[in-house]
Amino acid sequence: MAEASFDFVVVGGGVVGSSIGLGLARRGARVAILDQGDTALRSSRVNFGLVWLQSKGDGMPEYGRWTRRSADLWTEFAAYLQDLSGIDPEHEQKGGIAFCLGEAEFEHRRNTIQRMHNQVEPWVYETRMIDRKAVEALYPGVRFGPEMVGASFGPHDGVTNPLRLLQSLHGALKRVGIAYRPDAPAQAIQSDGGGFVIDTPAGPFRAGKVVLAAGHGTTGLAATLGLEAPIVPERGQLIITERVAPILPIPASGVRQTRDGTIMIGTTHEAAPDLTTRATTANAVHIAERIVRLIPDMARVKMVRTWLGLRVLSPDGFPVYMESETHPGAYVAICHSGNTLAAVHANDLAEAFLAHRLPDTLAPFHPRRFHVSQAA
Amino acid sequence: MFRKLPDPACATVAVTVDGQAMRVATHETAASAALLAAMGATRTSPVNGEPRAPFCMMGVCYDCLMVIDGVPSRQACLVPVRDGMRIERQAGARALAFGSAETADV
């Protein structure tokens, strides 16, 4: 079979791979995206949809700056996607809330926010603590429980509809001429003189450069190219309610209302080394208990379903970007916050891959940070 | 369109469907009572405002969501009628909170 030949092959057609691929093609590269089809453990289809800054970067200020850069690019990115695909990713950036139940949570949150502000330039987060009265003013339709003492408010936070985003991205891929191949999951990759040959069930693909961005499916392929993709999978379960008249105009960490009225409530953090995806009643109860403490009226809102997704987390929770030393032109990109970082992936990261040089600002994201010898 | 099989001996209960008093057989559901009342649309979609009415009558389609005894978003096809029941059309999405007097068993 004749090999299809591209400047870049991106392995992974979720939000991360699609954003990078779109950014590359937008800048003139001939791109193919190889995907696993509907059987993939696709985090893009099972997530909460926040485009979120205020909690990002504690211990790694570069991540805070990188996330802020993406938040700043997102509105233009959303307009670009809608223009190209005709599908609105439903992005909103009206700020975001992290509720605090009780003084202890409020103090803890205040300290965290303060610590993060101390680690980075003041313009990055601009998150501030607000008291109960100020929270109530933001949600005039909600009667909060007595424990809600306040919240942190991040003015740069927002949301997207994750399913619409993925749909919009895929629509855009088509429009810019990217070969999107859900029938051609990458099985093996060999370097071949000036480039790479990627074996798939649909035949081989040839590429000058290759980007591995397949979330939970990245690790094995990465190893064969001298790349590292350390992932510590984590389950996050959430509850979806019946539709309710609009009452939550601003998204919060762990509770938000979609445009259609559904309320999404999260979430759990469970180690998931076996990648199993079974939701449990116990988790649903745990999630429900907290939302009822926050908003007692939620006790009479019907739960429609509960489900979970697997987070793509590195050992420290920060993204991993690297170029292979043994196979130059092979890159890896894995991160938990594919929605939040979509805009910067489609811009700065795609540019870095095109320029064949990862800028110094991305150096902290190299997985060498996990090497014991480096830490000593 | 809907024609009841004749059963003159059947016991009945009094209900109101959007305020209209009627007697229906004890084995009816709130959804079938609404159909017998020929009220047309029993709710509107919270997403696009389109009219909806009971469709599957077996708890699957959720098109029969109605306000029953003040409790919104009940699946009317799964709620057996009982004497004095108030069955009302639902407009769009329910409110988060509804009055404390309206806490019928759900």
Side-chain angles (χ1 to χ4, degrees), chain A residues 296-319:
Chain A
D297 284 325
M298 288 295 294
R300 288 188 293 179
V301 173
K302 290 185 194 69
M303 175 182 128
V304 174
R305 57 187 178 272
T306 181
W307 46 259
L308 56 77
L310 294 172
R311 298 186 184 91
V312 181
L313 284 171
S314 68
D316 61 8
F318 304 126

Side-chain angles (χ1 to χ4, degrees), chain A residues 274-334:
Chain A
D274 53 358
L275 297 177
T276 56
T277 55
R278 187 185 303 160
T280 69
T281 307
N283 280 336
V285 168
H286 169 78
I287 295 163
E289 279 173 349
R290 185 171 168 93
I291 195 67
V292 170
R293 284 169 65 198
L294 180 68
I295 305 172
D297 284 325
M298 288 295 294
R300 288 188 293 179
V301 173
K302 290 185 194 69
M303 175 182 128
V304 174
R305 57 187 178 272
T306 181
W307 46 259
L308 56 77
L310 294 172
R311 298 186 184 91
V312 181
L313 284 171
S314 68
D316 61 8
F318 304 126
V320 169
Y321 308 117
M322 77 174 285
E323 178 176 9
S324 173
E325 282 174 25
T326 57
H327 298 76
Y331 302 92
V332 73
I334 55 170

Side-chain angles (χ1 to χ4, degrees), chain A residues 170-374:
Chain A
H170 281 192
L173 299 182
K174 231 176 260 176
R175 292 293 301 277
V176 298
I178 290 177
Y180 171 72
R181 296 293 299 269
D183 60 331
Q187 292 170 317
I189 305 176
Q190 283 98 38
S191 60
D192 173 30
F196 299 88
V197 177
I198 300 97
D199 293 329
T200 82
F205 286 69
R206 181 178 291 278
K209 298 178 189 176
V210 64
V211 180
L212 303 186
H216 294 289
T218 308
T219 310
L221 286 171
T224 67
L225 294 174
L227 292 163
E228 294 171 56
I231 296 176
V232 186
E234 188 184 84
R235 270 191 292 274
Q237 186 172 332
L238 53 94
I239 286 176
I240 308 298
T241 73
E242 62 178 317
R243 301 193 199 288
V244 173
I247 45 145
L248 300 174
I250 295 175
S253 173
V255 53
R256 77 176 188 91
Q257 189 170 25
T258 69
R259 283 191 188 172
D260 291 343
T262 300
I263 300 177
M264 303 176 73
I265 310 162
T267 183
T268 61
H269 297 268
E270 310 160 72
D274 53 358
L275 297 177
T276 56
T277 55
R278 187 185 303 160
T280 69
T281 307
N283 280 336
V285 168
H286 169 78
I287 295 163
E289 279 173 349
R290 185 171 168 93
I291 195 67
V292 170
R293 284 169 65 198
L294 180 68
I295 305 172
D297 284 325
M298 288 295 294
R300 288 188 293 179
V301 173
K302 290 185 194 69
M303 175 182 128
V304 174
R305 57 187 178 272
T306 181
W307 46 259
L308 56 77
L310 294 172
R311 298 186 184 91
V312 181
L313 284 171
S314 68
D316 61 8
F318 304 126
V320 169
Y321 308 117
M322 77 174 285
E323 178 176 9
S324 173
E325 282 174 25
T326 57
H327 298 76
Y331 302 92
V332 73
I334 55 170
C335 71
H336 164 228
S337 297
N339 291 341
T340 300
L341 297 177
V344 81
H345 284 168
N347 282 274
D348 304 35
L349 191 63
E351 262 164 30
F353 289 162
L354 272 171
H356 203 159
R357 185 178 175 279
L358 298 191
D360 293 343
T361 50
L362 294 183
F365 298 107
H366 196 286
R368 70 169 65 90
R369 67 186 189 268
F370 303 120
H371 300 176
V372 175
S373 59
Q374 291 286 330

